[in-house]
């Protein structure tokens, strides 16, 4: 899951981003509304975490502008009255979480929104003897728990969510890595190779020449 975090309090933004990365998410951080709109026009995000009181371009305007974007918007704001929530949802936000918030609740809400970002997905992804639970970060094949790195887990989740469709290396890089990933590196190929070894036999991930990968 790729997340855009828009928060003008830099220390808070970096703390939240670090926590989300530990949960296996790819997170980009911007500190004002104009930068948020620029990033959203370039990258595909599953969820945008949007502070409401932003400099340069106010969060309300960013939320309106993102109405045509496929990403789900979760507003994060210190203004937590019922009227504030109604207004935020009326602007086009998909969810609203008042500060201060429990980090576990934030993660749960992001994952719930992420499942609805493109198409409805079941809470647990299953393919034969392979089961992947995004909420608990557990993947099991034929009763054997897989020891996956965050990126291996993210790639496996994307391939399972594609439901047999081919996912290109570029799509995997865009969705599972953040803006600091080198597009000319062998990162995706190496990660898929490690994932194949951990999944074991019979092989599950098929390489489609000049196209990408699929399960």
């Amino acid at each position: 899951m790729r997340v855009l975090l828009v928060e003008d309090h830099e220390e808070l933004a970096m703390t939240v981003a670090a926590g989300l990365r530990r949960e296996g998410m790819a997170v980009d951080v911007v500190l004002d509304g104009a930068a948020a709109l620029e990033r959203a026009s370039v990258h595909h995000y599953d969820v945008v975490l949007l502070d409401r009181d932003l400099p340069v371009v106010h969060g309300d305007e960013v939320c309106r502008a993102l109405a045509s974007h496929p990403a789900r918007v979760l507003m994060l704001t210190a203004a937590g009255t019922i009227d504030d929530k109604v207004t935020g949802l009326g602007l086009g936000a998909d969810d609203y979480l008042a500060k201060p918030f429990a980090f576990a609740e934030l993660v749960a809400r992001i994952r719930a929104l992420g499942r609805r970002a493109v198409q409805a997905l079941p809470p647990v992804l299953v393919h034969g003897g392979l089961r992947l639970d995004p909420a608990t970060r557990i993947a099991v094949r034929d009763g054997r728990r897989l020891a996956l790195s965050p990126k291996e887990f993210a790639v496996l989740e994307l391939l399972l969510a594609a439901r047999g469709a081919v996912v290109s290396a570029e799509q995997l890089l865009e969705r599972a890595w953040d803006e600091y990933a080198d597009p000319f590196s062998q990162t995706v190929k190496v990660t898929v190779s490690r994932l194949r070894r951990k999944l074991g036999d019979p092989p599950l991930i098929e390489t489609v020449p000049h196209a990408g990968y699929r399960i």
Side-chain angles (χ1 to χ4, degrees):
M1 185 183 301
R2 190 161 184 180
V3 176
L4 176 62
L5 173 56
V6 192
E7 168 61 63
D8 64 330
H9 191 297
E10 186 170 2
E11 183 178 356
L12 174 61
M14 296 308 171
T15 299
V16 172
L20 296 179
R21 288 173 184 137
R22 285 194 295 270
E23 294 291 327
M25 302 180 195
V27 185
D28 295 343
V29 178
V30 294
L31 305 177
D32 64 70
L37 292 175
E38 189 275 332
R39 293 292 179 85
S41 70
V42 174
H43 299 291
H44 173 99
Y45 292 102
D46 299 290
V47 177
V48 176
L49 302 182
L50 180 65
D51 185 38
R52 194 167 181 183
D53 189 16
L54 292 171
V56 188
V57 178
H58 194 273
D60 289 358
E61 295 305 315
V62 175
C63 191
R64 289 191 186 97
L66 291 177
S68 59
H69 195 277
R72 301 291 179 172
V73 176
L74 171 54
M75 270 195 169
L76 298 175
T77 176
T81 68
I82 295 298
D83 287 343
D84 291 322
K85 294 179 181 180
V86 169
T87 300
L89 294 171
L91 291 168
D94 298 281
D95 200 358
Y96 194 106
L97 187 59
K99 300 175 183 176
F101 50 81
F103 185 73
E105 181 180 4
L106 173 65
V107 171
R109 287 174 181 262
I110 292 172
R111 288 190 174 137
L113 289 175
R115 288 195 296 270
R116 304 187 341 238
V118 180
Q119 58 181 330
L121 291 173
V124 178
L125 302 173
V126 179
H127 179 87
L130 177 63
R131 294 175 57 86
L132 182 145
D133 186 340
T136 61
R137 312 298 296 167
I138 293 175
V140 177
R141 186 177 189 189
D142 298 330
R144 174 176 59 91
R145 183 166 176 173
L146 305 174
L148 304 180
S149 72
K151 294 308 179 191
E152 291 162 359
F153 191 98
V155 168
L156 182 59
E157 183 177 359
L158 288 167
L159 292 175
L160 286 172
R163 296 171 172 172
V166 176
V167 184
S168 70
E170 292 77 12
Q171 289 172 317
L172 291 174
L173 189 68
E174 169 74 14
R175 301 289 301 283
W177 279 265
D178 60 26
E179 61 189 320
Y180 299 109
D182 181 358
F184 301 105
S185 72
Q186 296 294 307
T187 298
V188 172
K189 184 176 180 180
V190 171
T191 302
V192 170
S193 179
R194 290 201 307 260
L195 180 57
R196 279 189 170 121
R197 288 198 299 271
K198 291 183 179 182
L199 286 170
D201 293 321
L204 280 178
I205 301 176
E206 175 189 358
T207 297
V208 181
H210 312 297
Y213 308 94
R214 68 182 169 201
I215 290 180

